[in-house]
Short mmCIF file of all heavy atoms in Angstrom, two decimals:
data_model
loop_
_atom_site.label_atom_id
_atom_site.label_comp_id
_atom_site.label_asym_id
_atom_site.label_seq_id
_atom_site.Cartn_x
_atom_site.Cartn_y
_atom_site.Cartn_z
N MET X 1085 -11.48 119.02 -19.41
CA MET X 1085 -10.64 118.25 -20.32
C MET X 1085 -11.59 117.56 -21.27
O MET X 1085 -12.54 116.84 -20.72
CB MET X 1085 -9.65 117.46 -19.61
CG MET X 1085 -8.81 116.59 -20.71
SD MET X 1085 -7.44 115.67 -20.08
CE MET X 1085 -8.10 114.82 -18.66
N TYR X 1086 -11.35 117.64 -22.50
CA TYR X 1086 -12.19 116.80 -23.44
C TYR X 1086 -11.38 115.68 -23.91
O TYR X 1086 -10.30 115.74 -24.12
CB TYR X 1086 -12.55 117.77 -24.59
CG TYR X 1086 -13.52 118.82 -24.29
CD1 TYR X 1086 -13.15 120.12 -24.00
CD2 TYR X 1086 -14.83 118.67 -24.11
CE1 TYR X 1086 -14.02 121.03 -23.67
CE2 TYR X 1086 -15.75 119.51 -23.79
CZ TYR X 1086 -15.36 120.78 -23.56
OH TYR X 1086 -16.17 121.82 -23.18
N ALA X 1087 -12.13 114.52 -24.07
CA ALA X 1087 -11.45 113.32 -24.77
C ALA X 1087 -12.27 112.83 -25.91
O ALA X 1087 -13.44 112.99 -26.07
CB ALA X 1087 -11.42 112.21 -23.68
N VAL X 1088 -11.56 112.21 -26.89
CA VAL X 1088 -12.26 111.69 -28.00
C VAL X 1088 -12.15 110.21 -27.95
O VAL X 1088 -11.15 109.62 -27.71
CB VAL X 1088 -11.61 112.17 -29.32
CG1 VAL X 1088 -12.17 111.55 -30.48
CG2 VAL X 1088 -11.59 113.70 -29.49
N LEU X 1089 -13.37 109.64 -27.99
CA LEU X 1089 -13.49 108.21 -28.01
C LEU X 1089 -13.52 107.60 -29.40
O LEU X 1089 -14.36 108.12 -30.28
CB LEU X 1089 -14.72 107.78 -27.20
CG LEU X 1089 -15.08 106.40 -27.24
CD1 LEU X 1089 -14.10 105.60 -26.46
CD2 LEU X 1089 -16.42 106.06 -26.66
N SER X 1090 -12.64 106.85 -29.75
CA SER X 1090 -12.53 106.23 -31.01
C SER X 1090 -12.82 104.69 -30.87
O SER X 1090 -12.14 103.99 -30.06
CB SER X 1090 -11.13 106.48 -31.56
OG SER X 1090 -11.11 105.75 -32.87
N ALA X 1091 -13.62 104.15 -31.72
CA ALA X 1091 -14.03 102.74 -31.51
C ALA X 1091 -13.59 101.99 -32.86
O ALA X 1091 -13.62 102.36 -33.93
CB ALA X 1091 -15.52 102.56 -31.53
N SER X 1092 -13.02 100.80 -32.56
CA SER X 1092 -12.52 99.94 -33.66
C SER X 1092 -13.67 99.12 -34.11
O SER X 1092 -13.52 98.49 -35.06
CB SER X 1092 -11.30 99.13 -33.29
OG SER X 1092 -11.71 98.23 -32.19
N ARG X 1093 -14.88 99.05 -33.56
CA ARG X 1093 -15.95 98.30 -33.90
C ARG X 1093 -17.25 99.18 -33.59
O ARG X 1093 -17.21 100.12 -32.90
CB ARG X 1093 -15.95 96.96 -33.22
CG ARG X 1093 -16.24 97.15 -31.69
CD ARG X 1093 -16.35 95.82 -30.90
NE ARG X 1093 -16.36 96.04 -29.47
CZ ARG X 1093 -17.49 96.34 -28.91
NH1 ARG X 1093 -18.66 96.35 -29.42
NH2 ARG X 1093 -17.52 96.41 -27.48
N LEU X 1094 -18.28 98.86 -34.17
CA LEU X 1094 -19.53 99.55 -33.89
C LEU X 1094 -20.04 99.15 -32.49
O LEU X 1094 -20.13 98.06 -32.08
CB LEU X 1094 -20.63 98.96 -34.99
CG LEU X 1094 -21.80 99.91 -35.29
CD1 LEU X 1094 -21.18 101.37 -35.78
CD2 LEU X 1094 -22.50 99.42 -36.51
N MET X 1095 -20.42 100.24 -31.87
CA MET X 1095 -20.79 100.10 -30.43
C MET X 1095 -22.23 100.67 -30.33
O MET X 1095 -22.66 101.70 -30.95
CB MET X 1095 -19.77 100.89 -29.54
CG MET X 1095 -18.41 100.41 -29.53
SD MET X 1095 -17.34 101.50 -28.53
CE MET X 1095 -17.84 101.16 -26.94
N LYS X 1096 -23.00 100.03 -29.40
CA LYS X 1096 -24.26 100.56 -29.11
C LYS X 1096 -24.05 101.78 -28.19
O LYS X 1096 -23.12 101.93 -27.50
CB LYS X 1096 -25.12 99.47 -28.38
CG LYS X 1096 -25.42 98.24 -29.23
CD LYS X 1096 -26.28 97.35 -28.56
CE LYS X 1096 -26.62 96.21 -29.46
NZ LYS X 1096 -27.55 95.18 -28.74
N ALA X 1097 -25.09 102.63 -28.21
CA ALA X 1097 -25.16 103.85 -27.45
C ALA X 1097 -24.81 103.55 -26.00
O ALA X 1097 -24.13 104.33 -25.31
CB ALA X 1097 -26.38 104.67 -27.56
N ALA X 1098 -25.43 102.42 -25.45
CA ALA X 1098 -25.32 102.24 -23.95
C ALA X 1098 -23.75 101.87 -23.70
O ALA X 1098 -23.21 102.17 -22.67
CB ALA X 1098 -26.11 100.98 -23.63
N GLU X 1099 -23.16 101.20 -24.56
CA GLU X 1099 -21.73 100.84 -24.52
C GLU X 1099 -20.87 102.08 -24.42
O GLU X 1099 -19.99 102.12 -23.62
CB GLU X 1099 -21.24 99.87 -25.59
CG GLU X 1099 -21.79 98.43 -25.54
CD GLU X 1099 -21.35 97.59 -26.79
OE1 GLU X 1099 -21.64 98.17 -27.84
OE2 GLU X 1099 -20.87 96.53 -26.52
N VAL X 1100 -21.16 102.96 -25.32
CA VAL X 1100 -20.43 104.23 -25.44
C VAL X 1100 -20.56 105.04 -24.09
O VAL X 1100 -19.53 105.56 -23.54
CB VAL X 1100 -20.86 105.13 -26.57
CG1 VAL X 1100 -20.21 106.45 -26.60
CG2 VAL X 1100 -20.48 104.35 -27.90
N ARG X 1101 -21.81 105.06 -23.62
CA ARG X 1101 -21.98 105.78 -22.41
C ARG X 1101 -21.27 105.15 -21.16
O ARG X 1101 -20.71 105.79 -20.39
CB ARG X 1101 -23.57 105.83 -22.06
CG ARG X 1101 -24.20 106.92 -22.83
CD ARG X 1101 -25.66 107.10 -22.31
NE ARG X 1101 -26.37 105.86 -22.26
CZ ARG X 1101 -27.44 105.50 -23.28
NH1 ARG X 1101 -27.41 106.45 -24.38
NH2 ARG X 1101 -27.99 104.34 -23.29
N LYS X 1102 -21.17 103.87 -21.21
CA LYS X 1102 -20.50 103.10 -20.12
C LYS X 1102 -18.97 103.42 -20.24
O LYS X 1102 -18.35 103.67 -19.10
CB LYS X 1102 -20.78 101.59 -20.20
CG LYS X 1102 -20.12 100.69 -19.32
CD LYS X 1102 -20.29 99.23 -19.51
CE LYS X 1102 -19.50 98.36 -18.57
NZ LYS X 1102 -19.69 96.89 -18.98
N VAL X 1103 -18.38 103.37 -21.46
CA VAL X 1103 -16.95 103.59 -21.68
C VAL X 1103 -16.74 105.08 -21.13
O VAL X 1103 -15.67 105.33 -20.42
CB VAL X 1103 -16.54 103.35 -22.99
CG1 VAL X 1103 -15.14 103.83 -23.26
CG2 VAL X 1103 -16.60 101.82 -23.27
N CYS X 1104 -17.50 106.06 -21.49
CA CYS X 1104 -17.29 107.37 -21.32
C CYS X 1104 -17.42 107.70 -19.72
O CYS X 1104 -16.54 108.41 -19.22
CB CYS X 1104 -18.30 108.36 -21.99
SG CYS X 1104 -18.03 108.38 -23.79
N ALA X 1105 -18.34 106.96 -19.14
CA ALA X 1105 -18.51 107.16 -17.67
C ALA X 1105 -17.18 106.57 -16.98
O ALA X 1105 -16.73 107.14 -15.98
CB ALA X 1105 -19.82 106.47 -17.19
N GLU X 1106 -16.77 105.43 -17.38
CA GLU X 1106 -15.63 104.85 -16.81
C GLU X 1106 -14.45 105.68 -16.94
O GLU X 1106 -13.66 105.85 -15.97
CB GLU X 1106 -15.39 103.47 -17.52
CG GLU X 1106 -14.24 102.68 -16.86
CD GLU X 1106 -14.07 101.46 -17.56
OE1 GLU X 1106 -15.06 100.77 -18.08
OE2 GLU X 1106 -12.87 100.84 -17.64
N LEU X 1107 -14.15 106.26 -18.05
CA LEU X 1107 -13.06 107.25 -18.33
C LEU X 1107 -13.17 108.51 -17.45
O LEU X 1107 -12.32 108.91 -16.86
CB LEU X 1107 -12.91 107.64 -19.72
CG LEU X 1107 -12.52 106.45 -20.71
CD1 LEU X 1107 -12.60 106.90 -22.00
CD2 LEU X 1107 -11.13 105.93 -20.33
N ARG X 1108 -14.43 108.98 -17.21
CA ARG X 1108 -14.68 110.21 -16.51
C ARG X 1108 -14.30 110.02 -15.09
O ARG X 1108 -13.79 110.84 -14.45
CB ARG X 1108 -16.20 110.58 -16.63
CG ARG X 1108 -16.17 112.05 -16.91
CD ARG X 1108 -17.74 112.45 -17.14
NE ARG X 1108 -18.27 111.98 -18.28
CZ ARG X 1108 -19.34 111.11 -18.31
NH1 ARG X 1108 -19.96 110.75 -17.09
NH2 ARG X 1108 -19.92 110.60 -19.44
N ASN X 1109 -14.61 108.76 -14.67
CA ASN X 1109 -14.47 108.44 -13.25
C ASN X 1109 -13.11 107.90 -12.88
O ASN X 1109 -12.73 107.77 -11.71
CB ASN X 1109 -15.52 107.36 -12.79
CG ASN X 1109 -16.84 107.94 -12.77
OD1 ASN X 1109 -17.15 109.15 -12.55
ND2 ASN X 1109 -17.93 107.05 -13.10
N ASN X 1110 -12.26 107.73 -13.98
CA ASN X 1110 -10.91 107.18 -13.72
C ASN X 1110 -9.92 107.95 -14.44
O ASN X 1110 -9.55 107.53 -15.60
CB ASN X 1110 -10.74 105.64 -13.94
CG ASN X 1110 -9.63 105.00 -13.54
OD1 ASN X 1110 -8.74 105.73 -13.14
ND2 ASN X 1110 -9.57 103.75 -13.56
N PRO X 1111 -9.43 109.23 -13.99
CA PRO X 1111 -8.53 110.03 -14.83
C PRO X 1111 -7.21 109.30 -15.11
O PRO X 1111 -6.51 109.59 -16.11
CB PRO X 1111 -8.34 111.23 -13.99
CG PRO X 1111 -9.00 111.01 -12.66
CD PRO X 1111 -9.89 109.82 -12.74
N THR X 1112 -6.80 108.37 -14.19
CA THR X 1112 -5.53 107.66 -14.43
C THR X 1112 -5.61 106.83 -15.64
O THR X 1112 -4.82 106.80 -16.52
CB THR X 1112 -5.13 106.83 -13.21
OG1 THR X 1112 -5.16 107.56 -12.03
CG2 THR X 1112 -3.84 106.12 -13.45
N LEU X 1113 -6.70 106.09 -15.87
CA LEU X 1113 -7.04 105.33 -17.13
C LEU X 1113 -7.04 106.14 -18.36
O LEU X 1113 -6.42 105.84 -19.37
CB LEU X 1113 -8.27 104.59 -16.92
CG LEU X 1113 -8.71 103.70 -18.13
CD1 LEU X 1113 -7.67 102.62 -18.40
CD2 LEU X 1113 -9.92 103.01 -17.93
N LEU X 1114 -7.60 107.41 -18.19
CA LEU X 1114 -7.70 108.34 -19.31
C LEU X 1114 -6.24 108.78 -19.74
O LEU X 1114 -5.91 108.87 -20.90
CB LEU X 1114 -8.63 109.49 -18.94
CG LEU X 1114 -8.78 110.51 -20.16
CD1 LEU X 1114 -9.38 109.90 -21.31
CD2 LEU X 1114 -9.67 111.72 -19.52
N MET X 1115 -5.37 109.18 -18.78
CA MET X 1115 -4.10 109.46 -19.01
C MET X 1115 -3.23 108.42 -19.68
O MET X 1115 -2.53 108.62 -20.57
CB MET X 1115 -3.32 110.04 -17.74
CG MET X 1115 -3.84 111.36 -17.25
SD MET X 1115 -3.23 111.84 -15.67
CE MET X 1115 -1.58 111.45 -15.76
N ALA X 1116 -3.39 107.10 -19.24
CA ALA X 1116 -2.86 106.05 -19.84
C ALA X 1116 -3.18 105.85 -21.35
O ALA X 1116 -2.25 105.58 -22.18
CB ALA X 1116 -3.01 104.76 -19.07
N LEU X 1117 -4.47 105.90 -21.56
CA LEU X 1117 -4.96 105.72 -23.01
C LEU X 1117 -4.42 106.84 -23.82
O LEU X 1117 -4.05 106.72 -24.96
CB LEU X 1117 -6.38 105.76 -22.95
CG LEU X 1117 -7.05 104.46 -22.44
CD1 LEU X 1117 -8.63 104.72 -22.38
CD2 LEU X 1117 -6.75 103.30 -23.31
N GLU X 1118 -4.40 108.13 -23.27
CA GLU X 1118 -3.84 109.27 -23.94
C GLU X 1118 -2.42 109.09 -24.36
O GLU X 1118 -1.94 109.42 -25.39
CB GLU X 1118 -4.02 110.46 -23.27
CG GLU X 1118 -3.64 111.78 -23.94
CD GLU X 1118 -3.93 113.04 -23.11
OE1 GLU X 1118 -4.35 112.98 -21.99
OE2 GLU X 1118 -3.48 113.96 -23.47
N LEU X 1119 -1.58 108.67 -23.34
CA LEU X 1119 -0.08 108.43 -23.53
C LEU X 1119 0.00 107.33 -24.61
O LEU X 1119 0.87 107.55 -25.55
CB LEU X 1119 0.50 108.00 -22.29
CG LEU X 1119 1.98 107.76 -22.33
CD1 LEU X 1119 2.73 108.95 -22.76
CD2 LEU X 1119 2.49 107.29 -21.00
N THR X 1120 -0.64 106.19 -24.66
CA THR X 1120 -0.60 105.26 -25.59
C THR X 1120 -0.89 105.82 -27.06
O THR X 1120 -0.21 105.52 -28.05
CB THR X 1120 -1.55 104.03 -25.28
OG1 THR X 1120 -1.29 103.55 -24.04
CG2 THR X 1120 -1.42 102.89 -26.24
N ALA X 1121 -1.99 106.52 -27.17
CA ALA X 1121 -2.34 107.16 -28.44
C ALA X 1121 -1.29 108.05 -28.83
O ALA X 1121 -0.94 108.06 -30.10
CB ALA X 1121 -3.63 107.85 -28.28
N LYS X 1122 -0.69 108.86 -28.06
CA LYS X 1122 0.33 109.88 -28.59
C LYS X 1122 1.59 109.13 -28.96
O LYS X 1122 2.24 109.46 -29.82
CB LYS X 1122 0.72 110.79 -27.30
CG LYS X 1122 -0.37 111.92 -27.15
CD LYS X 1122 0.04 112.84 -25.96
CE LYS X 1122 -0.90 113.91 -25.84
NZ LYS X 1122 -0.62 114.76 -24.78
N GLU X 1123 1.93 108.02 -28.23
CA GLU X 1123 3.14 107.13 -28.58
C GLU X 1123 2.98 106.67 -30.12
O GLU X 1123 3.82 106.62 -30.88
CB GLU X 1123 3.41 106.13 -27.65
CG GLU X 1123 3.98 106.63 -26.31
CD GLU X 1123 4.22 105.35 -25.32
OE1 GLU X 1123 3.74 104.31 -25.57
OE2 GLU X 1123 4.74 105.66 -24.14
N GLU X 1124 1.74 106.11 -30.27
CA GLU X 1124 1.40 105.61 -31.64
C GLU X 1124 1.54 106.62 -32.79
O GLU X 1124 2.14 106.42 -33.79
CB GLU X 1124 -0.01 104.95 -31.73
CG GLU X 1124 -0.04 103.63 -30.92
CD GLU X 1124 -1.40 103.01 -30.85
OE1 GLU X 1124 -2.26 103.41 -31.84
OE2 GLU X 1124 -1.84 102.14 -30.08
N LEU X 1125 1.00 107.85 -32.45
CA LEU X 1125 1.00 108.80 -33.41
C LEU X 1125 2.57 109.34 -33.57
O LEU X 1125 2.82 109.50 -34.81
CB LEU X 1125 0.22 110.03 -32.94
CG LEU X 1125 -1.22 109.98 -33.07
CD1 LEU X 1125 -1.85 111.20 -32.36
CD2 LEU X 1125 -1.65 109.98 -34.40
N TYR X 1126 3.30 109.43 -32.41
CA TYR X 1126 4.66 109.78 -32.70
C TYR X 1126 5.47 108.83 -33.58
O TYR X 1126 6.28 109.08 -34.40
CB TYR X 1126 5.36 110.02 -31.32
CG TYR X 1126 6.79 110.44 -31.45
CD1 TYR X 1126 7.03 111.70 -31.65
CD2 TYR X 1126 7.82 109.62 -31.10
CE1 TYR X 1126 8.41 112.13 -31.66
CE2 TYR X 1126 9.12 110.04 -31.21
CZ TYR X 1126 9.42 111.21 -31.41
OH TYR X 1126 10.69 111.66 -31.56
N GLN X 1127 5.29 107.50 -33.28
CA GLN X 1127 5.92 106.47 -34.01
C GLN X 1127 5.55 106.47 -35.52
O GLN X 1127 6.39 106.36 -36.39
CB GLN X 1127 5.59 105.03 -33.52
CG GLN X 1127 6.18 104.71 -32.17
CD GLN X 1127 5.77 103.47 -31.54
OE1 GLN X 1127 4.80 102.77 -32.06
NE2 GLN X 1127 6.31 103.06 -30.32
N ARG X 1128 4.23 106.81 -35.80
CA ARG X 1128 3.92 106.92 -37.21
C ARG X 1128 4.51 108.13 -37.79
O ARG X 1128 4.96 108.04 -38.91
CB ARG X 1128 2.38 107.09 -37.24
CG ARG X 1128 1.55 105.76 -37.10
CD ARG X 1128 0.09 105.97 -37.31
NE ARG X 1128 -0.58 104.95 -36.79
CZ ARG X 1128 -1.95 104.97 -36.67
NH1 ARG X 1128 -2.65 106.11 -37.02
NH2 ARG X 1128 -2.55 104.00 -36.09
N PHE X 1129 4.57 109.24 -37.01
CA PHE X 1129 5.26 110.35 -37.61
C PHE X 1129 6.74 110.26 -37.93
O PHE X 1129 7.23 110.60 -38.97
CB PHE X 1129 5.05 111.58 -36.57
CG PHE X 1129 5.85 112.80 -36.95
CD1 PHE X 1129 5.31 113.64 -37.93
CD2 PHE X 1129 7.02 113.18 -36.15
CE1 PHE X 1129 6.05 114.78 -38.35
CE2 PHE X 1129 7.62 114.25 -36.59
CZ PHE X 1129 7.23 115.09 -37.68
N GLU X 1130 7.41 109.45 -36.96
CA GLU X 1130 8.78 109.22 -37.20
C GLU X 1130 9.03 108.26 -38.36
O GLU X 1130 10.02 108.47 -39.16
CB GLU X 1130 9.34 108.55 -35.99
CG GLU X 1130 9.56 109.52 -34.76
CD GLU X 1130 10.60 110.71 -35.14
OE1 GLU X 1130 11.59 110.40 -35.70
OE2 GLU X 1130 10.31 111.74 -34.83
N LYS X 1131 8.10 107.34 -38.61
CA LYS X 1131 8.19 106.43 -39.64
C LYS X 1131 8.00 107.07 -41.06
O LYS X 1131 8.71 106.97 -42.05
CB LYS X 1131 7.18 105.29 -39.60
CG LYS X 1131 7.39 104.19 -40.52
CD LYS X 1131 6.30 103.07 -40.49
CE LYS X 1131 6.34 102.44 -39.19
NZ LYS X 1131 5.42 101.32 -39.12
N GLU X 1132 6.99 108.03 -41.02
CA GLU X 1132 6.74 108.81 -42.30
C GLU X 1132 7.86 109.84 -42.60
O GLU X 1132 8.19 109.98 -43.65
CB GLU X 1132 5.42 109.63 -42.10
CG GLU X 1132 4.23 108.79 -42.16
CD GLU X 1132 2.93 109.46 -41.85
OE1 GLU X 1132 2.98 110.62 -41.85
OE2 GLU X 1132 1.89 108.78 -41.87
N LYS X 1133 8.48 110.47 -41.50
CA LYS X 1133 9.55 111.32 -41.65
C LYS X 1133 10.67 110.66 -42.21
O LYS X 1133 11.34 111.15 -43.07
CB LYS X 1133 9.82 111.92 -40.26
CG LYS X 1133 10.86 113.01 -40.28
CD LYS X 1133 11.19 113.57 -39.05
CE LYS X 1133 12.28 114.56 -38.95
NZ LYS X 1133 12.54 115.04 -37.57
N ALA X 1134 11.17 109.46 -41.70
CA ALA X 1134 12.29 108.73 -42.16
C ALA X 1134 12.05 108.25 -43.67
O ALA X 1134 12.87 108.27 -44.52
CB ALA X 1134 12.32 107.44 -41.42
N ALA X 1135 10.74 108.05 -44.02
CA ALA X 1135 10.58 107.49 -45.36
C ALA X 1135 10.63 108.71 -46.27
O ALA X 1135 11.09 108.67 -47.48
CB ALA X 1135 9.09 106.86 -45.37
N SER X 1136 10.17 109.84 -45.90
CA SER X 1136 10.26 111.12 -46.86
C SER X 1136 11.67 111.47 -46.94
O SER X 1136 11.96 112.17 -47.92
CB SER X 1136 9.31 112.30 -46.26
OG SER X 1136 9.89 112.61 -45.02
N GLU X 1137 12.41 111.28 -45.89
CA GLU X 1137 13.85 111.79 -46.04
C GLU X 1137 14.60 110.91 -47.05
O GLU X 1137 15.62 111.51 -47.71
CB GLU X 1137 14.64 111.78 -44.75
CG GLU X 1137 14.10 112.70 -43.74
CD GLU X 1137 14.65 112.60 -42.30
OE1 GLU X 1137 15.49 111.54 -42.11
OE2 GLU X 1137 14.46 113.50 -41.40
N THR X 1138 14.36 109.69 -47.19
CA THR X 1138 14.99 108.83 -48.07
C THR X 1138 14.62 109.13 -49.62
O THR X 1138 15.27 108.75 -50.56
CB THR X 1138 14.80 107.42 -47.90
OG1 THR X 1138 13.39 107.17 -47.97
CG2 THR X 1138 15.30 106.97 -46.43
N LEU X 1139 13.45 109.80 -49.81
CA LEU X 1139 12.95 110.09 -51.13
C LEU X 1139 13.38 111.46 -51.70
O LEU X 1139 13.09 111.84 -52.83
CB LEU X 1139 11.38 110.13 -51.08
CG LEU X 1139 10.90 108.67 -50.81
CD1 LEU X 1139 9.31 108.74 -50.79
CD2 LEU X 1139 11.23 107.62 -51.79
N THR X 1140 14.05 112.29 -50.81
CA THR X 1140 14.52 113.54 -51.35
C THR X 1140 15.59 113.43 -52.25
O THR X 1140 16.54 112.54 -52.11
CB THR X 1140 14.82 114.42 -50.08
OG1 THR X 1140 15.78 113.89 -49.42
CG2 THR X 1140 13.60 114.72 -49.26
N ALA X 1141 15.77 114.36 -53.21
CA ALA X 1141 16.88 114.51 -54.12
C ALA X 1141 17.92 115.30 -53.63
O ALA X 1141 17.65 116.35 -53.02
CB ALA X 1141 16.41 115.04 -55.54
N SER X 1142 19.19 115.01 -53.83
CA SER X 1142 20.31 115.80 -53.32
C SER X 1142 21.16 116.15 -54.39
O SER X 1142 21.23 115.55 -55.47
CB SER X 1142 21.09 115.16 -52.14
OG SER X 1142 21.18 113.75 -52.25
#
């Protein structure tokens, strides 16, 4: 399984390696982070969908 690491701040290479190793060794943590990211994406999608529905002409 591949995971994408996204940083909200600039990280040194050692920090990135440390985070990647931690995620690799703890699949439960990886699943929790993935679920959180998917929930955020779904909420954004729903918000955009609701906004686009109000702008359509009938």
Side-chain angles (χ1 to χ4, degrees):
M1085 174 171 49
Y1086 292 99
V1088 176
L1089 176 66
S1090 175
S1092 60
R1093 63 180 176 84
L1094 207 52
M1095 297 172 70
K1096 293 184 178 182
E1099 291 176 302
V1100 173
R1101 283 193 298 267
K1102 180 182 172 186
V1103 169
C1104 289
E1106 184 179 330
L1107 291 175
R1108 227 180 293 118
N1109 294 331
N1110 192 348
T1112 307
L1113 179 60
L1114 183 60
M1115 286 174 45
L1117 288 172
E1118 183 180 357
L1119 181 61
T1120 304
K1122 284 183 179 180
E1123 285 177 356
E1124 286 180 19
L1125 285 174
Y1126 183 73
Q1127 288 173 355
R1128 286 185 195 167
F1129 173 74
E1130 288 296 317
K1131 189 183 296 184
E1132 289 175 8
K1133 184 178 175 185
S1136 67
E1137 288 175 355
T1138 60
L1139 297 177
T1140 57
S1142 35

